[in-house]
Amino acid sequence: MADPRCLPIAIAGAAMAMMGASASAAPPRPCAMAASDRTWINGALGHWRTSERTLLKLDQQPLPTIYAIDARCTYRRHAGTGAWRGDPHGGSIRLPGAPPPKVGPIAFASARGATRYFAIGLPSVWRAAGVTSTIGLERLMDGVMLHELVHTRQFHFANPTLKAISARYGLGDDIDDDSLQARFGKDPAYRAAYFNERDMLFAAAAASSDAEARRLAGEALKMMRARHQRWFVGGDARWAALDDIFLTMEGAGQWLAYAWLTSPAGEKLPRATALRGVRRDGKQWSQDQGLALFLTIDRLVPGWQRLAFAKQPHLATALLERAARG
C-alpha cells in the first residue's frame, strides 16, 4: 500500500510529467487535400454547373454544402462559397442528420429541413478501395457526382412525396431506391417482367426511327402497367408510388451522367462506351431501368426537363406516357 504522505508528491510529479509530455507532443498535422483530389472535385463541380445549364436546362441555384472525404480528413465547403475547410475525422465521418458512414467510396445527397448537402469520398479513397471503371475512375466519379447533385434539384418534390407515401403506408426511414428490388428480387416471375420491361425501354431508346421508338415505348408502358397491376396490390400497393418516384429520381441522375459523358461540352465519349460505363453491371434496378426510361424520354419528349423539374413535376410514368403517344 502506498504511503499516504507521499501521494501529494506523486500526484504533483505525475502532473508535471503530463505537462511535459503535452508540451513536447507534436500538434495535429493540418488537413491538406491532395492536389489530384482537389483538381478533380473542383473540376467536377464545374461540370455540374455546365450540365445544370446546358443539359438540364435549369437556372443555376447555389450549390449545397459539400463534404469531401479523404483517408484522414473531411473537407467542408459551405453553400455559396468556394473555400474548403478540413478537419480530421478519426475514421468517423460526422454529417448532418446521418449515422457516421465509414471512410470509403461513398456518394449521396441529403436534405433535412432547410439543410441540403452532398457528401463524397475523394478519388484517392475510391482508388484505395479498389474501384475501377472502363471509362476511368475520375470519369466514373464525375457521373456519380452529377447523378447525386441532380437529386438536390429534386428534393423540393421528392421529399414531400416520400413523406406522404411513408405516412400513408406507415413506412420507416429506411426506404430507398433499392427497397423494391430487395422486396421482389428473388421472385423469378417478377424478375422476368422487370428485365423484359427494362430491355424494351433500352430498345426504344436505340430504335432506328422515332416511330419505332414510340411504338416500343408504348409496349414498355403496357408492361409497366401490367407489372404494377399484378404485384403492387394489397399489402404491396405502396410500391406503385415508390416505383414511380425512384425511377424519376434515379433515371434523371443516370441520364445526366450519360449525357455529360457523351456531350460535346463534356467528355465526348462514344455512346456505347458511355452507356457501358454508366450502367456498370446493371445490378441496381431502379438506376438501370431509370436510365433506359429517360434515354427514351429524352429522344421522344422535347423539353422534358421543364416538365421533370417543375414545381409540380411530371414523374417517370407520366413522361413515358407522353413519349408513347407523341
Side-chain angles (χ1 to χ4, degrees):
M1 181 178 292
D3 186 341
R5 292 171 297 177
C6 297
L7 287 178
I9 298 174
I11 293 171
M16 291 178 67
M18 290 174 64
M19 290 174 63
S22 176
S24 62
R29 181 161 52 93
C31 291
M33 192 184 297
S36 57
D37 283 344
R38 182 180 293 274
T39 297
W40 173 77
I41 195 164
N42 288 336
L45 290 172
H47 300 339
W48 163 250
R49 282 310 197 194
T50 300
S51 300
E52 186 180 29
R53 184 182 68 256
T54 63
L55 298 175
L56 293 179
K57 305 184 188 305
L58 298 174
D59 294 333
Q60 289 187 348
Q61 289 185 355
L63 286 166
T65 297
I66 298 170
Y67 295 87
I69 301 113
D70 66 16
R72 201 176 72 85
C73 297
T74 299
Y75 304 89
R76 183 174 65 255
R77 173 175 160 164
H78 283 296
T81 72
W84 293 99
R85 174 184 171 179
D87 294 297
H89 52 58
S92 180
I93 305 165
R94 291 182 291 277
L95 298 171
K102 294 181 179 179
V103 177
I106 62 169
F108 62 91
S110 180
R112 303 279 177 170
T115 302
R116 296 184 311 142
Y117 70 87
F118 166 64
I120 189 166
L122 288 163
S124 58
V125 171
W126 287 53
R127 190 168 284 110
V131 179
T132 60
S133 172
T134 57
I135 57 175
L137 178 62
E138 281 75 10
R139 281 174 172 161
L140 169 68
M141 292 185 65
D142 281 351
V144 170
M145 175 180 278
L146 293 175
H147 175 120
E148 295 299 332
L149 287 173
V150 167
H151 294 336
T152 69
R153 299 301 304 261
Q154 296 173 314
F155 284 147
H156 72 278
F157 67 85
N159 283 9
T161 299
L162 289 169
K163 184 177 180 180
I165 295 170
S166 296
R168 179 179 179 184
Y169 294 105
L171 307 180
D173 292 335
D174 57 345
I175 291 290
D176 62 21
D177 55 292
D178 294 323
S179 296
L180 189 150
Q181 182 176 348
R183 169 66 183 87
F184 293 101
K186 294 182 180 180
D187 181 334
Y190 186 95
R191 288 175 63 87
Y194 159 75
F195 286 121
N196 288 338
E197 183 183 319
R198 181 205 64 183
D199 292 347
M200 186 67 72
L201 286 165
F202 275 121
S208 58
S209 69
D210 285 352
E212 178 65 2
R214 208 172 300 284
R215 185 187 72 79
L216 294 174
E219 291 299 315
L221 181 61
K222 291 177 185 177
M223 291 178 174
M224 180 182 289
R225 288 171 173 164
R227 175 171 59 88
H228 284 206
Q229 290 169 3
R230 177 174 175 181
W231 279 281
F232 299 165
V233 294
D236 286 319
R238 63 184 182 271
W239 295 110
L242 289 168
D243 194 30
D244 206 14
I245 189 67
F246 284 127
L247 283 175
T248 303
M249 295 181 70
E250 299 307 306
Q254 290 295 86
W255 176 85
L256 185 61
Y258 169 85
W260 172 257
L261 290 172
T262 57
S263 169
E267 296 294 336
K268 308 180 184 69
L269 292 182
R271 292 182 179 182
T273 301
L275 190 62
R276 185 167 59 251
V278 173
R279 292 186 69 184
R280 293 178 67 78
D281 53 18
K283 287 184 178 179
Q284 291 180 285
W285 287 5
S286 62
Q287 289 192 8
D288 208 36
Q289 183 176 359
L291 173 61
L293 198 154
F294 273 82
L295 287 172
T296 300
I297 291 165
D298 184 61
R299 176 172 183 169
L300 298 173
V301 185
W304 64 266
Q305 296 91 331
R306 173 178 50 83
L307 302 171
F309 292 92
K311 187 174 182 180
Q312 298 294 330
H314 285 54
L315 299 185
T317 303
L319 290 169
L320 183 58
E321 289 171 351
R322 279 181 171 256
R325 71 171 180 260

